[in-house]
Amino acid sequence: MKTKYFITLSLLSFVLILSGCGTKGAQAPVINQTPEAAVSNNPALSLEEVSKHASANDCWMMIDGQFYDLSSYIQSAKHPGGEKIVNGCGKDASAMFAEIKKHDSRAREELANHLIVR
């Protein structure tokens, strides 16, 4: 009986951990690693278009299906990671953005300031 109880409790704990319970409302970032997986905020844009803007002076990125022009942000030198941001210019930078632990709600708010809307 104790063994059944222990197994049931262990399985329940495992399911709760996988479902995200106990993370104080935090959500895991959505990562779109391929253009096919991306749900764009702007169907007029594509990764092909983004790839034409791949420098520090002209930097567009796609992050989680959203398109951003981060050129002015890079030029302002406000990015805490310095020039590392340039590595995402011209591509789907979703995975790169998600793997940086310091990208919190403030980073998402900053991104919102650079959303490309056509």
Side-chain angles (χ1 to χ4, degrees):
M1 183 68 173
K2 287 183 182 181
T3 304
K4 266 189 178 179
Y5 177 76
F6 178 74
I7 291 172
T8 303
L9 186 57
S10 297
L11 286 173
L12 180 60
S13 297
F14 182 72
V15 169
L16 288 174
I17 289 169
L18 287 180
S19 68
C21 291
T23 57
K24 296 184 182 178
Q27 286 185 323
V30 175
I31 300 172
N32 296 318
Q33 297 196 12
T34 64
E36 297 79 24
V39 177
S40 172
N41 64 306
N42 193 333
L45 291 177
S46 66
L47 275 178
E48 182 179 346
E49 178 66 24
V50 169
S51 70
K52 298 174 186 175
H53 305 272
S55 70
N57 293 325
D58 182 18
C59 178
W60 288 15
M61 291 181 199
M62 185 176 85
I63 299 173
D64 297 336
Q66 306 290 312
F67 294 93
Y68 302 94
D69 180 351
L70 293 161
S71 307
S72 63
Y73 182 65
I74 292 170
Q75 297 307 310
S76 73
K78 292 180 182 177
H79 187 255
E83 293 292 316
K84 291 179 184 177
I85 190 173
V86 177
N87 295 331
C89 295
K91 55 181 109 168
D92 182 346
S94 301
M96 184 179 95
F97 185 86
E99 70 186 25
I100 306 298
K101 303 294 185 234
K102 292 182 182 179
H103 285 157
D104 55 11
S105 60
R106 287 181 293 166
R108 293 247 175 227
E109 288 171 13
E110 185 63 45
L111 271 180
N113 295 326
H114 303 281
L115 184 66
I116 298 172
V117 179
R118 284 189 176 177

